[in-house]
Amino acid sequence: MATIFAEQALLPEGWAEAVRITIGPDGAITAVEPGAAPQDAERAAGPVVPGMPNLHSHAFQRAMAGLAERAGPEEDSFWTWREAMYRCVASLRPDHVQAIARQLYMEMLKAGYTSVAEFHYLHKDAAGRAYADPAEMAHRVAAAADDTGIGLVLLPVLYRHGGFGGQPAGEGQRRFTLTPDAYLDLLAAIDPRVTAGIAFHSLRAVSGDDMAAVLAGVDPARPVHIHVAEQRREVEDCRAWSGATPIDWLFDHVEVTARWCLVHATHAGEGELARMAASGAVAGLCPTTEANLGDGLFPARRFLELGGRFGVGSDSHVTVSPSDELRWLEYGRRLADERRNRLSGKARPSVGGFLWDAALAGGAAALGLPAGRIAAGARADLVVLDGGHPLLAGMRGDAVLDRWLFAGDARMVRDVMAGGVWRVRDGHHAGEAEAARGFVEAMRALTA
């Protein structure tokens, strides 16, 4: 059992002072006492906030971050970037994937993410053949998470087709494709100690029958994730195929509930936003990736007015920082609306405080974990900001989050606890040197 004392901490009911947090041997919080004496507790070195769940990650894409920023002979878009991603995927071995994921997950922890939903669709070898163990790549991702200590929700992805209406998969997709039966076999092969949900790549890549077969064969309590309406061309192609937008088609053919996470949903209209909000599904927003790919801006202000829930993810990992994701979410609306302070609540005028709390709740729901709050029964996922940082001097309550999200960066993150264990101390992870060596070796092999 461990006890932490924070001069100020963000609790579900708001900021509190002189907070004792007691953590049990299972990594869960057993008691939270505001207005308490420190006694023999360890003193946190600054304000304490709940760690952020990262609801959308493609770990292997960290290997190509920043390497697709060269203009091509035609207008660049998600679709031209996707070809570069396929070239990266072609050379990845299981040991590469583990090394890349380990480095990435360490970076996530150091930035303030304490859990991650890994949207994992790299299943087969370079020739498109199944490994002897169909979960070989999934095991590598799980091992990387175990090495670093980040909380993992593994989301194996069903990816079967190359386009709407069951078009054949292309050469670049051969490492991803599975039938529903093979997908269920893969799920069964994952170590039961690993928390796993399910994912459908997109309506381009699965049919309604594929989804029905999988949903009928799994525990109905598992979280379900899907990419949807990320690009305008996707919306246009879906209309040409079905007469409906991707979001409307999904709601018309599948029971979408609060256990679903609709990743991106960038091009959602008024009626679609209303359906999403009413269902309780979480909008999985990845603003730095969406900006990098030129996807567009999710109508976040209207979605929140309708009572919608959202969380954030680092997706392609061009940036690995929850503060960057939330800053870009707000700045996108400011640029589109030509106004300031767009995303807040009537009872929470602080944009930083509102965004952090909303993303905590949505991220925890999307992962299906008791996370995102400092409360008895929750995972002990704590981020200690650097109380000695000049920008945090004299800051109390939501001013701490406003400073961090809009004027700071990951250097404000001092200590990070995930699952009741200190993973980052004074900005460093104990395994960071070894992880960096493994990542460098993988990158040298891939770029040779």
Side-chain angles (χ1 to χ4, degrees), residues 156-394:
V157 176
L158 179 62
Y159 193 131
R160 191 176 189 189
H161 307 297
F164 290 105
Q167 297 175 40
E171 183 70 13
Q173 298 160 329
R174 63 185 178 182
R175 300 193 70 174
F176 313 152
T177 57
L178 296 172
T179 65
D181 285 344
Y183 178 80
L184 292 172
D185 289 342
L186 167 62
L187 274 178
I190 292 171
D191 189 324
R193 293 171 295 182
V194 174
T195 302
I198 61 176
F200 304 113
H201 181 270
S202 60
L203 295 181
R204 302 190 310 272
V206 298
S207 68
D209 288 343
D210 295 333
M211 286 192 283
V214 168
L215 291 170
V218 299
D219 180 349
R222 292 192 191 217
V224 185
H225 290 223
I226 185 171
H227 292 134
V228 67
E230 181 179 359
Q231 310 86 27
R232 290 192 187 280
R233 191 178 109 184
E234 176 190 351
V235 176
E236 293 163 1
D237 288 351
C238 188
R239 276 203 178 105
W241 163 64
S242 70
T245 65
I247 295 172
D248 278 339
W249 191 97
L250 186 66
F251 275 87
D252 288 344
H253 293 83
V254 181
E255 184 185 6
V256 178
T257 65
R259 72 184 178 116
W260 283 66
C261 178
L262 307 186
V263 181
H264 303 304
T266 310
H267 300 288
E270 178 74 13
E272 294 163 306
L273 293 173
R275 296 181 86 173
M276 290 170 60
S279 73
V282 175
L285 308 180
C286 309
T288 63
T289 290
E290 289 149 7
N292 183 267
L293 297 179
D295 288 339
L297 292 170
F298 177 77
R301 184 178 171 88
R302 181 57 181 148
F303 186 59
L304 291 170
E305 289 172 348
L306 291 167
R309 301 191 298 171
F310 78 90
V312 292
S314 52
D315 194 354
S316 67
H317 314 299
V318 288
T319 295
V320 184
S321 164
S323 59
D324 278 359
E325 299 301 335
L326 293 172
R327 182 184 305 150
W328 268 99
L329 181 61
E330 167 68 19
Y331 281 177
R333 291 311 335 151
R334 293 186 189 192
L335 290 168
D337 300 343
E338 299 182 35
R339 295 289 187 275
R340 299 190 70 251
N341 300 327
R342 307 309 290 156
L343 305 177
S344 63
K346 290 181 180 178
R348 195 76 176 274
S350 160
V351 177
F354 177 84
L355 288 175
W356 193 261
D357 265 3
L360 287 173
L367 270 65
L369 293 179
R373 63 188 190 278
I374 300 175
R379 274 175 54 95
D381 291 347
L382 308 176
V383 171
V384 181
L385 299 174
D386 185 359
H389 194 288
L391 282 177
L392 294 182

